[in-house]
């Protein structure tokens, strides 16, 4: 029989409008783990028009209130795994195609940057609760630290968001194109917005993250380091702040991590 009814996607779907809508659009592209759009406040009229080539005295009179070009964005991509150059070019082309086919009026994308992985290791002495299973705690510790350093968007089925998380169907489809040819699923926008592009990591947050794991009583001698041995040389950075390099994303690595577990006064791992 002929289907005379429209689907929710056809009725409620619309082009992306907010920055978060565009991020959600990009993470549906195969190979893109996460994406961020940052307002390009560094792109001025002088830079676009090439006025920086002339002496300041020869600049046309431009009021400072119009110096900032609104509507331009820098796009940053965190890719799945480590694709080769051809794979990266293919993903960037798909990103460009998707952005330009859903671009808002008077908005554009100044550049697209693939973020490098900054592999980071954590070392600590961990005291376990007498009743804890060391193997289970270790596995959960690794999973928790990976999710803390480089979280991935969590995708849901429509029924999960509506029935289990209490989202309205209008919320789920807001800013979601109805003509998507491929999708990993739906995201909880509140969860998604919390995944920020990190510029620094606070050691206290690592402590809190580890303490959230059941079975851990105390943590001692916690250190954080880059796996390649490099260090940020910026002056005046407190010891409790670990800097992320420009155009990098943190990536937790077991290769340069180490944990010593104690339980009931003895070493277990």
């Amino acid at each position: 029989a002929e289907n005379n009814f429209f689907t929710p996607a056809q009725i409620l779907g619309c082009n992306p409008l907010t920055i978060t809508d565009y991020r959600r659009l990009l993470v549906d592209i195969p190979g893109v783990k996460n994406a961020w759009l940052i307002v390009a406040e560094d792109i001025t009229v002088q830079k676009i028009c090439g006025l920086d080539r002339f002496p300041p005295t020869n600049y046309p009179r431009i009021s400072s209130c119009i110096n900032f070009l609104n509507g331009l964005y820098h796009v940053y991509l965190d890719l799945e795994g480590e694709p080769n150059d051809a794979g990266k070019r293919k993903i960037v082309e798909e990103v460009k195609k998707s952005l330009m086919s859903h671009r808002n009026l008077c908005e554009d994308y100044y550049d697209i940057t693939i973020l490098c992985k900054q592999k980071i290791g954590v070392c600590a002495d961990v005291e376990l609760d007498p009743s804890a299973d060391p193997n289970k705690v270790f596995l959960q510790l690794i999973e928790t630290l990976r999710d803390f350093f480089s979280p991935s968007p969590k995708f849901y089925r429509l029924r999960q968001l509506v029935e289990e998380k209490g989202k309205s169907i209008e919320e789920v489809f807001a800013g979601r194109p109805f003509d998507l040819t491929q999708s990993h699923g739906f995201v909880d926008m509140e969860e998604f917005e919390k995944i920020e592009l990190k510029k620094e990591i606070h050691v206290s947050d690592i402590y809190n993250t580890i303490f959230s794991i059941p079975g851990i009583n105390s943590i001692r001698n916690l250190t954080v380091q880059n796996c390649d041995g490099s260090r940020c040389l910026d002056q005046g950075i407190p010891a409790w702040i670990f800097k992320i390099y420009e155009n990098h994303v943190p990536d937790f690595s077991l290769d340069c991590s180490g944990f010593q577990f104690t339980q009931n006064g003895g070493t277990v791992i």
Side-chain angles (χ1 to χ4, degrees):
E2 184 178 353
N3 188 354
N4 294 320
F5 296 97
F6 293 103
T7 66
Q10 291 173 311
I11 298 172
L12 302 173
C14 64
N15 272 345
L17 180 62
T18 67
I19 287 179
T20 306
D21 290 340
Y22 280 98
R23 289 185 58 206
R24 177 175 57 178
L25 178 71
L26 297 184
V27 297
D28 261 333
I29 296 174
V32 176
K33 177 181 178 182
N34 215 326
W36 294 270
L37 274 71
I38 307 296
V39 176
E41 296 181 351
D42 57 318
I43 307 304
T44 62
V45 173
Q46 287 89 345
K47 189 168 185 177
I48 290 292
C49 298
L51 301 180
D52 52 355
R53 295 175 297 178
F54 303 97
T57 54
N58 294 335
Y59 274 16
R61 291 185 176 272
I62 300 176
S63 172
S64 60
C65 66
I66 63 170
N67 192 44
F68 170 66
L69 291 174
N70 193 20
L72 290 179
Y73 299 91
H74 296 297
V75 181
Y76 297 94
L77 303 177
D78 180 13
L79 303 185
E80 293 280 2
E82 297 182 2
N84 56 28
D85 291 342
K88 291 178 182 178
R89 286 194 295 268
K90 182 179 179 181
I91 293 172
V92 169
E93 286 303 316
E94 286 297 320
V95 168
K96 287 181 180 178
K97 180 181 177 181
S98 184
L99 287 173
M100 298 309 292
S101 62
H102 298 91
R103 182 171 65 92
N104 284 326
L105 187 65
C106 297
E107 292 188 346
D108 207 347
Y109 310 98
Y110 188 77
D111 53 19
I112 298 175
T113 301
I114 294 178
L115 299 170
C116 300
K117 308 284 188 183
Q118 182 173 338
K119 294 190 177 297
I120 298 172
V122 177
C123 297
D125 296 329
V126 181
E127 182 182 347
L128 301 179
D129 185 84
S131 61
D133 183 333
N135 293 319
K136 289 183 178 180
V137 172
F138 177 72
L139 290 175
Q140 190 170 357
L141 173 63
I142 301 307
E143 292 175 0
T144 302
L145 287 175
R146 280 178 175 158
D147 189 57
F148 169 77
F149 280 98
S150 52
S152 300
K154 186 176 181 180
F155 293 94
Y156 299 89
R157 295 185 177 89
L158 178 59
R159 177 171 292 182
Q160 286 178 299
L161 284 180
V162 174
E163 296 182 0
E164 298 177 14
K165 300 184 74 68
K167 304 294 182 181
S168 69
I169 198 164
E170 290 83 5
E171 286 181 272
V172 174
F173 283 98
R176 178 185 172 91
F178 74 90
D179 58 349
L180 287 179
T181 58
Q182 56 188 2
S183 176
H184 300 311
F186 299 87
V187 296
D188 183 329
M189 296 297 274
E190 292 181 7
E191 291 180 356
F192 191 42
E193 288 176 343
K194 292 178 181 178
I195 305 178
E196 299 178 344
L197 181 58
K198 289 184 173 72
K199 297 183 179 179
E200 62 185 29
I201 292 174
H202 294 181
V203 175
S204 58
D205 291 336
I206 301 177
Y207 272 104
N208 292 333
T209 298
I210 296 176
F211 270 125
S212 69
I213 300 171
I216 293 181
N217 283 347
S218 67
I219 306 165
R220 299 185 301 276
N221 303 322
L222 188 145
T223 59
V224 186
Q225 65 275 329
N226 290 312
C227 291
D228 61 4
S230 63
R231 298 182 62 186
C232 181
L233 300 179
D234 292 353
Q235 298 295 322
I237 298 179
W240 51 271
I241 291 180
F242 189 85
K243 295 292 290 185
I244 305 301
Y245 296 133
E246 185 178 6
N247 293 336
H248 282 68
V249 285
D251 185 26
F252 175 72
S253 175
L254 266 179
D255 294 339
C256 59
S257 298
F259 302 96
Q260 179 171 285
F261 289 81
T262 58
Q263 188 176 41
N264 297 320
T267 302
V268 291
I269 297 181

